[in-house]
Amino acid sequence: MNLRIPGPTPCPPEVLAAMSRQMVDHRGPEFGEVLKQVTAGLKRAFRTQNDVLIFTCAGTGGLEAAVVNTLSPGDRVLAVSIGNFGERFAAIAQTYGAKVTKLEFEPGHAADPAAIDEALSRDASIHAVLLTHNETSTGVTNPLKEIAEVVRRYDKLLLVDAVSSMASVPIEVDGWGLDVVVSGSQKGWMVPPGLAFVSMNERAWNAYSKSRMPKFYLDAGKAKESADRGQTPWTPAISLFYAMQVALQLLERDGWDEVFARHERCAQVARRGVKSLGLQLQADERYASNMVTCVRAPAGVSVSDLRKALREKHEIVIAGGQGSLTGKVFRIGHLGLVNEEEIEAVITALREELPLLGFAPLAAAQR
Ligand SMILES: *Cc1c(COP(=O)(O)O)cnc(C)c1O
């Protein structure tokens, strides 16, 4: 199967093989060494000298950790939302009692730094800003560096969902002053689902010491204290740590610059390809994601029929739409373990199947 969804992504055979290794004592020296190596690799990838904590949970658990470890019930929070994952981050904060003000943008648009500047200037009581870096539901990557500059100027805490962008596009956690940054193993890291990574700088730890939201499993203080002893507070998904150790070696062997360049090349193949078929991107192309391409379904073509045809006749799995875009778009994942040929194969299959479903791609492109 050519699994072209925006996570979980396919995994290299070396990573899968690592997961078949025997268990070790998670309180013993072997696991301590694995944890140390994975943490060091993550810190290099995040471009941070500060802490990166590893939780056994989905990416959403990492987002929840970001919220409960830095905020208190009643805190005013500005949740910048450009799609489904922005909504989720806001919903987590709301669930734990934060007073959330939403700043929303149309699906396909990036967040405007000037609008965030305006929102922060209007309300001095805002404590923190929640931001999705790459909005996987619309295929848009926000201008994180520019937005971080604005948030820094107002000295607010910045919590970043980089679940689907970290390890696929450059992010300077320390250089851009990002306080808490979250990623997840099943996206750019080429590892199965089950681990979340959360970086915390000094500002984040200061916020932690004042934070009163309830937390137990996801308590960053407990995670840090255990990590310093080569352990995790609770039994970790040991096999996934083995997988991460190998995946980081593979990624660093290629080099991060080449990993980022490969993502850019695959994204260009996807964007050029769908446009050549006469289809339209959902994303404002200036901010189109290098991890996932979100395509508007042509009028009259059923997204579920299209996905079924690709799966059954071409062994290609693409994603449908989420939230308000359900049935209106389909998405091609190109992050993690991916090359240009795999994306070309998706375009070829679309060229073949779309006419059978009532859309004439070539005619549309020739007009
Ligand atoms: C995948 C993803 C998540 C987390 O998803 P889980 O299913 O909880 O692992 C969060 N944010 C973004 C932007 C994502 O793409």
Side-chain angles (χ1 to χ4, degrees):
M1 271 295 175
N2 185 358
L3 184 62
R4 299 274 51 104
I5 61 173
T9 73
C11 303
E14 298 94 320
V15 168
L16 297 177
M19 292 190 60
S20 68
R21 264 157 53 191
Q22 188 53 275
M23 286 301 104
V24 292
D25 175 9
H26 64 298
R27 306 275 175 229
E30 299 93 341
F31 181 77
E33 186 54 35
V34 175
L35 177 61
K36 199 174 106 187
Q37 281 190 22
V38 172
T39 303
L42 283 169
K43 286 168 72 161
R44 289 191 293 272
F46 274 61
R47 309 273 291 162
T48 183
Q49 309 283 335
N50 298 305
D51 292 301
V52 180
L53 305 170
I54 308 170
F55 297 94
T56 290
C57 61
T60 303
L63 298 180
E64 189 154 329
V67 168
V68 299
N69 284 295
T70 57
L71 303 177
S72 299
D75 277 354
R76 303 202 73 94
V77 167
L78 182 70
V80 180
S81 174
I82 64 166
N84 227 41
F85 287 102
E87 293 300 304
R88 185 180 300 183
F89 212 175
I92 295 168
Q94 220 146 24
T95 300
Y96 281 96
K99 292 216 166 64
V100 175
T101 303
K102 268 197 218 163
L103 181 61
E104 294 174 282
F105 298 85
E106 290 299 308
H109 289 245
D112 176 7
I116 295 170
D117 194 330
E118 219 258 318
L120 291 175
S121 73
R122 221 182 310 126
D123 186 353
S125 70
I126 288 169
H127 181 77
V129 176
L130 310 185
L131 179 74
T132 318
H133 181 208
N134 181 69
E135 178 50 75
T136 316
S137 69
T138 60
V140 172
T141 304
N142 273 320
L144 177 55
K145 181 170 184 268
E146 286 74 11
I147 293 170
E149 266 166 28
V150 171
V151 177
R152 285 280 63 83
R153 226 181 308 123
Y154 287 89
D155 201 24
K156 309 298 183 187
L157 202 64
L158 178 57
L159 313 185
V160 182
D161 172 351
V163 173
S164 64
S165 51
M166 184 66 79
S168 301
V169 288
I171 302 176
E172 297 283 339
V173 169
D174 289 357
W176 299 349
L178 313 176
D179 300 316
V180 181
V181 182
V182 180
S183 190
S185 56
Q186 81 274 29
K187 305 284 169 97
W189 306 94
M190 316 189 298
V191 163
L195 294 180
F197 316 122
V198 182
S199 72
M200 290 180 61
N201 66 8
E202 199 182 329
R203 257 190 313 267
W205 283 117
N206 283 337
Y208 171 84
S209 64
K210 298 187 196 102
S211 146
R212 283 177 292 101
M213 279 188 182
K215 48 192 159 284
F216 189 84
Y217 183 74
L218 296 172
D219 190 324
K222 290 194 179 87
K224 162 86 174 135
E225 193 193 315
S226 294
D228 289 344
R229 288 182 283 112
Q231 296 183 17
T232 54
W234 336 112
T235 313
I238 294 172
S239 309
L240 293 172
F241 281 78
Y242 295 156
M244 268 306 285
Q245 192 178 22
V246 171
L248 283 164
Q249 283 164 5
L250 295 175
L251 290 164
E252 291 189 334
R253 192 190 61 194
D254 286 351
W256 285 112
D257 287 345
E258 168 51 24
V259 172
F260 301 151
R262 177 168 55 81
H263 281 79
E264 194 173 332
R265 290 194 301 270
C266 290
Q268 277 169 2
V269 171
R271 293 195 283 266
R272 227 183 288 127
V274 295
K275 286 192 294 182
S276 79
L277 299 177
L279 299 172
Q280 285 185 326
L281 303 179
Q282 178 67 34
D284 171 347
E285 213 173 328
R286 293 170 298 167
Y287 300 98
S289 168
N290 281 353
M291 284 62 72
V292 56
T293 294
C294 186
V295 186
R296 292 209 193 115
V301 171
S302 146
V303 171
S304 56
D305 288 351
L306 180 64
R307 293 181 65 210
K308 186 164 183 278
L310 259 57
R311 168 194 284 275
E312 291 178 357
K313 293 164 68 180
H314 303 267
E315 299 201 325
I316 292 170
V317 180
I318 59 170
Q322 287 175 295
S324 67
L325 294 179
T326 306
K328 296 182 180 154
V329 298
F330 60 88
R331 293 173 300 149
I332 306 165
H334 36 76
L335 77 170
L337 184 64
V338 60
N339 60 37
E340 290 99 312
E341 291 73 45
E342 287 161 331
I343 304 304
E344 297 283 8
V346 179
I347 303 301
T348 303
L350 287 171
R351 182 174 288 121
E352 191 175 321
E353 294 305 326
L354 282 167
L356 305 178
L357 295 167
F359 178 70
L362 289 175
Q366 275 159 7
R367 266 203 299 275

